[in-house]
Amino acid sequence: MSGVSEHVVIVGAGQGGLQAAMSLRTEGFTGRISLIGEEPGLPYQRPPLSKAYLKTGAADALTLRPAAFFEKHDITLVTGTRVDSIVRDTGHVLLGSKTLGYDHLILATGTRNLRPPIDGLEHALDLRTLEDAKRLRKELDRPRTCAVIGAGFIGLEFAAVARALGHKVTVAEAAQRPMARAVSSPIAARFAEMHLQMGTRLCFGQAVKEVDETGIHLPDGEKIDADLILLAAGVRPNVELAQAAGLPCDNGIVTDAQLQTADPAISALGDCAVFPDPRTGRLVRLESVQAATDHARTIAKRITHGTATPYAAVPWFWSDQSDLKLQIAGLAFPEDDCIECENGSVLRFDGDALTAAETINNPKVHMKARKILALQAPPGRDTLKRAGYDLTLI
């Protein structure tokens, strides 16, 4: 694109969608930009909802950019509006009775809470949007007995905040350990111990069977009383818009290494997109703000300059739970080996290849890991072994 008269429409006004609009302007795109969000209000940060916001209630601190920013950079922000369908043949999206044409469409539709087949889930609260967090915070204004369904990042972050505020908390998780999809067993064990020390009860290998207004029911027959129940059992990518338009989807909207879908006029980014892992070629989907912003920058460069540079940024993730800060550099798969280091970090390996580094309260090692993993030829297992697996010596 030359960027003179074209129109880029971005569906999804979260952090990734906003970054796409900002990056287009940074790269010199001079055409029209429309950023469409289903939620009302200005784009905001989602990660603090399960952490700082529950403590402070400072909603204004979540806002990513003020209203004046959009006017200054000639970005049309449309909020509280749902895109109903994509008409690929004519290059239009339908918004109720309105039609909006595009030259390039970016799908940043994100995810929504996964709702397992559990009877009575209408009694459980969600923690996905700012409105969800406002309601949850209001419910925590008096002593509560909380039950959390799911021991992933969101469930455990909420549990840590709730316990720190003096509430009773039980976490029920279908897997045998916390954060099973995200971290190694040693790191999971350290976080489990921290939550136990805080007084949280952890029930692993317990897929909740039923929820009612008085608590949750476990498969072993135990009833756990609770007057506040949070559903935090994972997320599902919002692919329905893409699917209805005939775009291939497989646990996300399928893209190539440049985040382009099967339709060259449509890209996808962030939590809703699957793309080939640069190292293995396996299709992966990353639930990470940083991945979404890196995706956005990659797409903006392609649209503005016509470059076909593949997305190859090192992914990284984090979670704040009580006084422990988990940071993960890289992307490990469940079958990857793990090596526990003397400094408390855990290195993950696929054969000889370093795939990820997991750290707790150790930003120095985390940053070093990101630099190492970004190398064209990162040091292998034998080299790291000779250094005592101390990344700071590499």
Side-chain angles (χ1 to χ4, degrees), residues 28-51:
F29 180 78
T30 58
R32 294 170 58 203
I33 300 175
S34 295
L35 178 60
I36 305 170
E38 194 168 336
E39 292 184 59
L42 294 168
Y44 63 89
Q45 303 173 66
R46 209 177 292 276
L49 295 179
S50 56
K51 299 181 276 287

Side-chain angles (χ1 to χ4, degrees), residues 16-305:
L18 174 60
Q19 184 65 56
M22 295 192 300
S23 292
L24 282 166
R25 290 295 185 234
T26 300
E27 293 295 331
F29 180 78
T30 58
R32 294 170 58 203
I33 300 175
S34 295
L35 178 60
I36 305 170
E38 194 168 336
E39 292 184 59
L42 294 168
Y44 63 89
Q45 303 173 66
R46 209 177 292 276
L49 295 179
S50 56
K51 299 181 276 287
Y53 175 79
L54 287 180
K55 299 175 185 176
T56 68
D60 290 346
L62 303 176
T63 302
L64 289 164
R65 292 293 186 276
F69 171 87
F70 299 92
E71 182 177 355
K72 178 181 178 181
H73 293 277
D74 194 21
I75 299 169
T76 301
L77 177 62
V78 182
T79 62
T81 300
R82 179 184 179 87
V83 174
D84 297 310
S85 61
I86 303 167
V87 184
R88 290 168 53 194
D89 291 345
T90 58
H92 288 81
V93 293
L94 303 182
L95 309 86
S97 61
K98 298 180 180 179
T99 300
L100 187 64
Y102 65 83
D103 293 287
H104 198 91
L105 179 67
I106 300 175
L107 299 177
T109 49
T111 58
R112 64 185 182 276
N113 274 4
L114 175 68
R115 302 193 72 78
I118 301 173
D119 290 339
L121 272 187
E122 66 273 13
H123 300 292
L125 299 178
D126 289 312
L127 182 48
R128 183 68 188 162
T129 68
L130 179 56
E131 287 305 309
D132 291 338
K134 286 180 178 178
R135 179 182 177 188
L136 193 57
R137 188 170 188 276
K138 185 177 180 180
E139 293 293 333
L140 291 173
D141 65 355
R142 58 193 181 279
R144 289 289 196 174
T145 300
C146 306
V148 181
I149 303 173
F153 285 3
I154 299 298
L156 293 180
E157 288 167 359
F158 168 81
V161 171
R163 279 300 300 142
L165 294 173
H167 304 286
K168 295 181 180 178
V169 181
T170 298
V171 178
E173 165 60 47
Q176 296 298 327
R177 57 186 174 90
M179 303 179 288
R181 293 190 304 116
V183 302
S184 62
S185 294
I187 293 293
R190 289 180 61 184
F191 275 87
E193 180 60 26
M194 179 273 290
H195 283 279
L196 289 171
Q197 289 180 359
M198 289 188 73
T200 297
R201 182 186 175 196
L202 303 175
C203 302
F204 296 122
Q206 298 284 351
V208 174
K209 288 182 60 179
E210 183 182 352
V211 178
D212 61 34
E213 63 272 14
T214 63
I216 60 176
H217 299 261
L218 302 183
D220 62 5
E222 182 183 1
K223 161 74 180 305
I224 296 177
D225 293 331
D227 54 17
L228 190 157
I229 302 165
L230 175 68
L231 175 64
V235 296
R236 174 173 292 175
N238 293 322
V239 301
E240 290 75 13
L241 190 63
Q243 265 182 334
L247 295 174
C249 296
D250 181 7
N251 187 37
I253 304 167
V254 176
T255 72
D256 63 15
Q258 289 82 37
L259 288 313
Q260 184 173 275
T261 70
D263 184 334
I266 303 178
S267 299
L269 64 80
D271 296 9
C272 70
V274 291
F275 60 95
D277 173 45
R279 188 181 64 84
T280 65
R282 293 165 64 169
L283 283 180
V284 295
R285 185 174 61 82
L286 301 179
E287 297 167 11
S288 158
V289 166
Q290 190 57 44
T293 56
D294 287 336
H295 287 176
R297 294 183 179 109
T298 298
I299 292 169
K301 288 179 180 177
R302 171 165 50 82
I303 291 174
T304 307
H305 306 297

Side-chain angles (χ1 to χ4, degrees), residues 322-354:
S322 186
D323 58 352
L324 299 187
K325 185 178 189 69
L326 167 69
Q327 291 178 295
I328 305 169
L331 180 64
F333 293 100
E335 65 271 19
D336 289 0
D337 298 336
C338 67
I339 297 291
E340 296 183 68
C341 306
E342 290 185 5
N343 60 20
S345 60
V346 171
L347 303 185
R348 307 293 300 277
F349 290 92
D350 176 10
D352 185 56
L354 176 68

